[in-house]
Amino acid sequence: MNNRLALLRDQVSERLETIPDPVSGKGLVTSERVSGLEADEAGKVSFTIEAPAEAVERYVAVRDAAEAAARAVRGVKTVMAVLTAHGAAPATSMKMQSASAGIGQVGAVIAVASAKGGVGKSTVAVNLACAFAALGLKTGLLDLDVYGPSAPTLLGTGARKPAMRADKMLEPLEAHGLKTMSIGYLVDAASAMIWRGAMATSAVRQMIDEVAWGPLDVLLLDLPPGTGDVQLTLLQRVPLAGAVIVSTPQEMALADVRRGLAMFDKTHAPILGVIENMAWFETPDGKRTHIFGEGGAQRTAAQAGVPFLGEIPIDVALRESCDAGTPLVAAQPKHPLSARFRAIAEAARANVARLNKPAPKISII
Ligand code: ADP
């Protein structure tokens, strides 16, 4: 790093030190809450605030203050501060009402992303969530696709609305053994479509912070399609245990996967793996036709050095189950595709444990 950037970094570090750590009362840097502080030629500064898991909610304001402090340094143009939770997850008993709020009691938050729409991201997210549940994990699914929420259809929740508790927290809707929330539960899809950036972001924050998720082993986030700033802004607020990228085997998808990898690089979230959807179609005589090409996503994962989690073929039963609001993995656990989803969930779970090392402090499922 050249001298100018080193100086900029030091100046930011000094400013961060002026913010007291809520736990120790000392400066954020002295308290070892700041990691990965970087500055680049374009004046972009990024760092991570490492909060203790049991007090992560108190650090949301700290992260905001740290972001503002860094932005005030001359020469800094943009700031990205990511909040991560470290330490054992709090006990599952709900001692205080506030402890059940937000994602404070979630063991691992996993984002499911795709570079573009129509590759089956939501289909995969819903069935993967059911697969985690089938493995015995307490699982939540948060449909963050504010522009085209699909959870109400895929989960068959119909006109059901989440209840609001006395403390103004929303109760997630239980469906197919999952705790679920979607902007589609709160407003009709057509109104969600016209939301712009800031509004969409604040809706997403509410669905993370003001929903009584309670104790969960894993919470899957079904992101809006794309790997741009919108997705990044949503992810800034969430301490991720990892990300899953859904793609089709097409050559074109290779660039898409790379964009996804680049996005998660910025959030410092480990890539748990790539899932290749619509990998092939099997005709009744057992012959496989590779409609979208063969193994593209798998090759890209290998080239990029990230894990490959598995393939999901095109299957009419999967499409029908989506349309019917009864996820295949929950409704037909013996279906071969359900077994595939469970194997993918197992692999993702193992990667959460493996890739969050060597920081065994991070709570994992
Ligand atoms: P995305 O979330 O990426 O926009 P969706 O999950 O909404 O995509 O899927 C788009 C359409 O493709 C849906 O109608 C869904 O039922 C169908 N679909 C997705 N994956 C498969 C698959 N493996 N086999 C058959 N249909 C699929």
Side-chain angles (χ1 to χ4, degrees):
M1 181 181 285
N2 67 34
N3 284 343
R4 203 173 61 76
L5 292 184
L7 185 66
L8 191 61
R9 226 181 60 150
D10 288 350
Q11 285 170 334
V12 171
S13 179
E14 275 167 27
R15 296 300 279 263
L16 296 181
E17 181 63 7
T18 64
I19 300 170
D21 171 53
V23 172
S24 72
K26 295 183 194 146
L28 278 188
V29 179
T30 308
S31 309
E32 297 185 347
R33 295 286 178 219
V34 180
S35 71
L37 175 56
E38 285 169 25
D40 72 10
E41 292 289 349
K44 186 169 163 192
V45 166
S46 57
F47 54 86
T48 301
I49 302 282
E50 297 181 355
E54 64 280 8
V56 72
E57 281 143 34
R58 291 163 69 190
Y59 281 79
V60 174
V62 171
R63 191 263 327 277
D64 290 348
E67 227 170 42
R71 204 174 291 120
V73 174
R74 235 179 111 188
V76 173
K77 298 269 190 304
T78 52
V79 179
M80 197 173 101
V82 178
L83 185 62
T84 61
H86 285 243
T92 48
S93 64
M94 278 187 255
K95 283 191 216 112
M96 290 186 310
Q97 212 170 32
S98 65
S100 68
I103 54 168
Q105 288 179 288
V106 176
V109 182
I110 298 176
V112 181
S114 69
K116 53 182 192 212
V119 300
K121 173 184 50 61
S122 296
T123 304
V124 169
V126 164
N127 282 284
L128 191 57
C130 292
F132 277 122
L135 298 182
L137 300 175
K138 275 192 179 168
T139 307
L141 176 74
L142 173 51
D143 172 16
L144 286 184
D145 193 345
V146 281
Y147 304 110
S150 51
T153 309
L154 294 179
L155 297 164
T157 48
R160 280 168 64 197
K161 297 274 172 236
M164 188 171 282
R165 308 192 315 188
D167 61 0
K168 297 270 194 294
M169 300 293 291
L170 284 174
E171 286 281 6
L173 286 187
E174 303 254 356
H176 310 285
L178 308 173
K179 283 192 178 179
T180 72
M181 183 53 66
S182 165
I183 199 71
Y185 296 166
L186 307 173
V187 297
D188 66 79
S191 357
M193 294 283 275
I194 55 168
W195 287 4
R196 293 182 201 286
M199 243 174 114
T201 308
S202 83
V204 165
R205 279 182 78 163
Q206 275 179 4
M207 288 194 292
I208 292 167
D209 298 336
E210 293 170 25
V211 169
W213 288 109
L216 286 179
D217 295 309
V218 57
L219 176 65
L220 285 189
L221 309 182
D222 182 3
L223 293 185
T227 50
D229 286 344
V230 175
Q231 290 73 15
L232 204 55
T233 312
L234 305 187
L235 292 175
Q236 267 182 323
R237 307 280 161 191
V238 195
L240 288 182
V244 168
I245 296 177
V246 181
S247 180
T248 62
Q250 264 166 310
E251 284 303 313
M252 228 171 61
L254 305 189
D256 294 345
V257 170
R258 292 211 181 89
R259 278 209 296 277
L261 298 180
M263 174 175 79
F264 286 111
D265 202 37
K266 287 185 197 150
T267 67
H268 303 285
I271 304 291
L272 304 178
V274 174
I275 299 175
E276 188 169 278
N277 189 31
M278 309 193 187
W280 65 79
F281 178 71
E282 197 166 297
T283 45
D285 58 1
K287 253 176 69 184
R288 288 183 180 183
T289 311
H290 293 89
I291 294 176
F292 296 117
E294 197 173 349
Q298 191 163 0
R299 271 195 302 281
T300 309
Q303 281 165 14
V306 297
F308 183 71
L309 292 174
E311 300 153 308
I312 302 293
I314 297 174
D315 195 297
V316 176
L318 186 58
R319 207 266 308 143
E320 284 173 351
S321 66
C322 287
D323 291 351
T326 49
L328 188 77
V329 174
Q332 298 178 50
K334 295 214 167 88
H335 194 286
L337 239 57
S338 301
R340 277 185 177 271
F341 274 110
R342 285 194 298 272
I344 288 173
E346 279 281 17
R349 175 195 207 177
N351 288 346
V352 168
R354 186 171 63 82
L355 294 170
N356 281 285
K357 282 179 188 164
K361 294 178 293 172
I362 293 183
S363 56
I364 50 170
I365 51 177

